[in-house]
């Protein structure tokens, strides 16, 4: 029989590993910037200084780190939205797989954890599809459709093409697939080149920034709608 999860203890331990006074996007940028510096440093050291075997192994770790950054960022994003109030708090009621036992319920009312923390901590976000589904519920929209429309607008401003609509999202999905493979298989014939490591990192920088921008615009539109309703 599996041990019963103690959600509040898990949240408390996670808090100890985060700088809660630093906004979610800034925290994600710090890690992504550090990863880019690490990739650049590794490339500069591999010209005869490090064996190809070691180089290949080290580059396999970048997809794992990138997915970890995205999972941490999205968890903070869900929490911030729910704790910001309506309509996100009401929308969160649609999450049917969130467990709230008596211990967790009483803990939330005693200030040990916010509603956003408890819900966000339990939401699945192991791949882009789950992240998009969570945001669709919280934002009350078809997030994949609205976000891709945003990407299409970015492509138009660049003069056409599919840089954001196609190539960016393909890189994100490829990174998640590589992470899954490296975490669950030996995959000795599946290396990540130094060039691709940098490309993956740049893709995650753009992706997370654009998601955050999309959410902030949504919050502004909801705030404006609320003001109009009051009038």
């Amino acid at each position: 029989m599996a041990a019963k999860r103690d959600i509040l203890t898990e949240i408390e331990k996670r808090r100890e590993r985060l700088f809660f006074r630093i906004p979610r996007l800034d925290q994600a940028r710090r890690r992504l910037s550090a990863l880019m510096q690490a990739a650049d440093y590794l490339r500069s050291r591999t010209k005869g200084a490090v064996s190809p075997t070691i180089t290949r192994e080290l580059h396999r770790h970048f997809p794992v780190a990138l997915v970890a950054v995205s999972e941490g960022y999205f968890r903070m994003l869900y929490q911030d939205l729910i704790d910001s109030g309506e309509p996100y708090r009401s929308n969160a009621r649609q999450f049917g797989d969130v467990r709230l036992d008596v211990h967790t319920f009483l803990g939330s009312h005693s200030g040990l954890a916010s509603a956003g923390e408890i819900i966000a901590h339990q939401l699945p976000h192991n791949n882009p599809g789950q992240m998009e589904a969570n945001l669709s519920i919280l934002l009350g929209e078809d997030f994949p459709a609205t976000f891709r429309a945003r990407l299409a607008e970015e492509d138009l401003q660049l003069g056409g093409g599919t840089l954001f609509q196609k190539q960016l999202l393909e890189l994100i999905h490829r990174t998640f697939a590589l992470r899954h493979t490296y975490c669950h298989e030996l995959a000795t014939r599946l290396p990540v080149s130094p060039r691709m490591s940098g490309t993956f990192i740049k893709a995650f920088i753009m992706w997370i920034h654009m998601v955050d921008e999309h959410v902030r615009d949504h919050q502004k539109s909801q705030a404006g709608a609320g003001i109009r309703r009051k009038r």
Side-chain angles (χ1 to χ4, degrees):
M1 182 176 178
K4 186 177 180 180
R5 288 184 65 185
D6 187 337
I7 301 298
L8 293 178
T9 299
E10 292 176 10
I11 290 174
E12 182 180 5
K13 290 181 177 179
R14 185 171 66 86
R15 281 179 173 180
E16 295 174 354
R17 299 188 289 267
L18 288 173
F19 296 103
F20 262 79
R21 294 183 179 180
I22 300 176
R24 60 179 185 264
L25 186 57
D26 289 343
Q27 293 202 48
R29 283 172 172 166
R30 285 187 181 187
R31 281 294 311 278
L32 291 169
S33 176
L35 284 172
M36 181 60 77
Q37 293 177 54
D40 290 341
Y41 176 79
L42 185 57
R43 280 196 297 271
S44 71
R45 296 288 297 175
T46 54
K47 297 177 180 178
V50 182
S51 73
T53 300
I54 294 175
T55 300
R56 285 194 297 270
E57 181 57 37
L58 290 174
H59 279 284
R60 286 189 177 100
H61 291 264
F62 284 104
V64 179
L66 286 170
V67 171
V69 171
S70 69
E71 290 185 5
Y73 162 79
F74 275 90
R75 182 179 283 115
M76 294 181 73
L77 176 59
Y78 307 147
Q79 176 186 332
D80 289 345
L81 280 171
I82 296 167
D83 288 340
S84 71
E86 300 300 337
Y88 312 107
R89 192 178 183 89
S90 292
N91 290 345
R93 295 174 181 172
Q94 297 180 48
F95 290 119
D97 55 352
V98 173
R99 183 173 60 82
L100 187 64
D101 56 25
V102 174
H103 173 64
T104 307
F105 176 79
L106 293 176
S108 67
H109 282 270
S110 64
L112 295 177
S114 68
E117 282 182 290
I118 292 171
I119 296 172
H121 187 74
Q122 299 181 65
L123 293 180
H125 44 261
N126 298 318
N127 57 63
Q130 290 179 335
M131 295 168 175
E132 290 177 343
N134 292 335
L135 285 178
S136 290
I137 289 175
L138 287 173
L139 301 181
E141 66 179 26
D142 183 346
F143 178 77
T146 57
F147 187 63
R148 281 162 178 73
R150 188 183 199 93
L151 298 182
E153 183 62 30
E154 293 289 340
D155 282 331
L156 283 176
Q157 293 181 16
L158 290 177
T162 59
L163 174 63
F164 289 101
Q165 299 174 76
K166 189 174 188 330
Q167 298 175 52
L168 175 62
L169 294 180
E170 285 181 350
L171 285 169
I172 299 302
H173 282 269
R174 183 177 174 188
T175 305
F176 271 84
L178 282 171
R179 175 264 179 192
H180 180 83
T181 300
Y182 290 140
C183 286
H184 299 285
E185 299 178 19
L186 286 174
T188 52
R189 297 180 61 186
L190 186 63
V192 174
S193 70
R195 181 180 62 83
M196 285 309 300
S197 290
T199 300
F200 289 146
I201 296 168
K202 291 175 183 177
F204 269 70
I205 291 172
M206 286 190 289
W207 179 51
I208 289 178
H209 175 80
M210 294 180 76
V211 168
D212 205 82
E213 188 177 68
H214 182 87
V215 170
R216 284 185 278 113
D217 285 347
H218 189 278
Q219 289 179 295
K220 290 177 183 177
S221 68
Q222 291 298 312
I227 293 173
R228 290 192 295 272
R229 284 194 294 270
K230 288 180 181 179
R231 290 177 181 174

